[in-house]
Amino acid sequence: MPDVRVTVTVHGPDPLSRAGVLRHLKHQPSVELVDRPGPLGGEPRGAVAVMLAERLDDRAGAELRRLVRGGRQRVVLIAGELRETELMAVMEYGVQAVLWQHRTTPKRLLRAVHRAARADRGTPCGVDRRL
């Protein structure tokens, strides 16, 4: 993994899922976890937000749009299931990577976080292979 430390925040409604992601990332020397994101727009440039959502409902969609707004942080979505129209919406929001919950491993998560941190805003969404 790269030598550059990436600031990461973890978001989602399920505390158990958030705790699992935090557990996978907290011992990674290339990741700096921030428990409480700063005020909107206060995130460091290049920071990555990991969003957990079982489905892309109205609440999850609003949270994704809020995280992407302003362009200061990149977003990695870990989703339980997404229909094709929801996947297209996620791409339109500007999410940098989508990982499927049942296929996410610590290695895949770390790789997605670093790729998202390096990506430009115009970079196409990286989607895990299985749609």
Side-chain angles (χ1 to χ4, degrees), residues 23-39:
R23 183 174 47 88
H24 287 307
L25 292 174
K26 76 177 179 180
H27 297 294
Q28 296 297 328
S30 61
V31 171
E32 178 184 347
L33 289 171
V34 178
D35 285 336
R36 300 198 190 286

Side-chain angles (χ1 to χ4, degrees), residues 52-89:
L52 303 156
E54 182 60 35
R55 297 192 51 85
L56 189 66
D57 56 16
D58 291 339
R59 183 177 176 187
E63 179 71 2
L64 279 174
R65 287 188 300 275
R66 184 190 71 76
L67 290 170
V68 172
R69 191 180 307 135
R72 293 191 65 86
Q73 60 184 345
R74 309 300 191 259
V75 178
V76 173
L77 173 64
I78 300 176
E81 85 180 63
L82 292 176
R83 293 176 293 193
E84 185 176 348
T85 55
E86 294 167 334
L87 181 59
M88 296 302 290

Side-chain angles (χ1 to χ4, degrees), residues 75-77 87 91 95-99 112 115 123-129:
V75 178
V76 173
L77 173 64
L87 181 59
M91 292 171 70
V95 170
Q96 292 295 319
V98 177
L99 299 172
R115 285 182 180 164
T123 302
C125 181
V127 180
D128 195 10
R129 294 174 195 215

